[in-house]
Each structure stands twice: as structure tokens, then as C-alpha cells.
Amino acid sequence: MCNNATCITANNGEQKLDLIATKASQIDVVLVDIYIPKVSELDATSANRNQPSDPPKNLPVVATTADERWHNPKRCLDFGFNSVLPKPVSLSQLDKKLRQFAA
């Protein structure tokens, strides 16, 4: 597993947007569920991608979902996600994906 990783958590899309707006320079990768409450993850990722500065504009976003319609990597890329992890996600899959995108 990733060593010395720190997690910053949000309970919904609004909190996620606020955290990224205030802590973007401290974030290496964003791990999200596509169906996060309050602000859809599609809207939240789009909002981040439309920011004028980097970060948060180019923060890697890894989506997780049990919805098979989103298990297509091309569809996820088209919506602004860098990758998708189909649920259930194993710890080894998660570790590999986070290492791929973390600085």
C-alpha cells in the first residue's frame, strides 16, 4: 500500500469542491464515487476542469462506481475522469491506481 499517504475526505460534492478550492496544492489525486451526494461528480469534475489555474484544473480524478455503464474507460475520459475503478475495488487495485497518479 501507499506509505505516508494522507486522506482528506468530503461527505458530498459541495464539500469536495470546497476542499479542492482551498487545498488543491496539497492534493495529488482525487478518488471519488460518481454518485456523490449534493453536487453530481460529473458537475464537480467539470467545474474543476474549467478552473483557470492548475491545480485544481489538472488534478487527476479517479472515479469509482458499481454502475456498469461507467466501467468503460473511454466514457470516463470523455467526462473528465482520468480513470475508473469498478466496484468492488480491491486494496491492491486501489493502491496500484493511486500510485499511478500520485506524485
Side-chain angles (χ1 to χ4, degrees):
M1 284 298 293
C2 294
N3 295 326
N4 301 319
T6 300
C7 294
I8 302 170
T9 60
N11 294 319
N12 59 56
E14 289 175 355
Q15 287 180 1
K16 178 205 164 218
L17 286 171
D18 289 343
L19 282 170
I20 288 177
T22 59
K23 298 181 184 274
S25 64
Q26 300 171 35
I27 300 171
D28 293 321
V29 61
V30 178
L31 178 67
V32 298
D33 189 298
I34 288 177
Y35 296 112
I36 193 168
K38 290 199 178 184
V39 174
S40 90
E41 190 49 45
L42 301 176
D43 292 337
T45 298
S46 178
N48 289 136
R49 296 295 187 232
N50 290 322
Q51 293 295 314
S53 61
D54 185 31
K57 183 177 186 170
N58 292 311
L59 280 174
V61 178
V62 176
T64 62
T65 185
D67 186 338
E68 290 185 10
R69 295 175 295 172
W70 288 100
H71 291 185
N72 178 331
K74 182 177 179 342
R75 182 175 190 200
C76 286
L77 288 172
D78 290 345
F79 278 90
F81 302 114
N82 295 84
S83 187
V84 62
L85 283 171
K87 289 181 180 178
V89 179
S90 72
L91 287 177
S92 63
Q93 290 172 312
L94 179 60
D95 182 60
K96 182 178 179 180
K97 192 59 67 175
L98 292 178
R99 286 179 187 273
Q100 178 183 345
F101 290 104

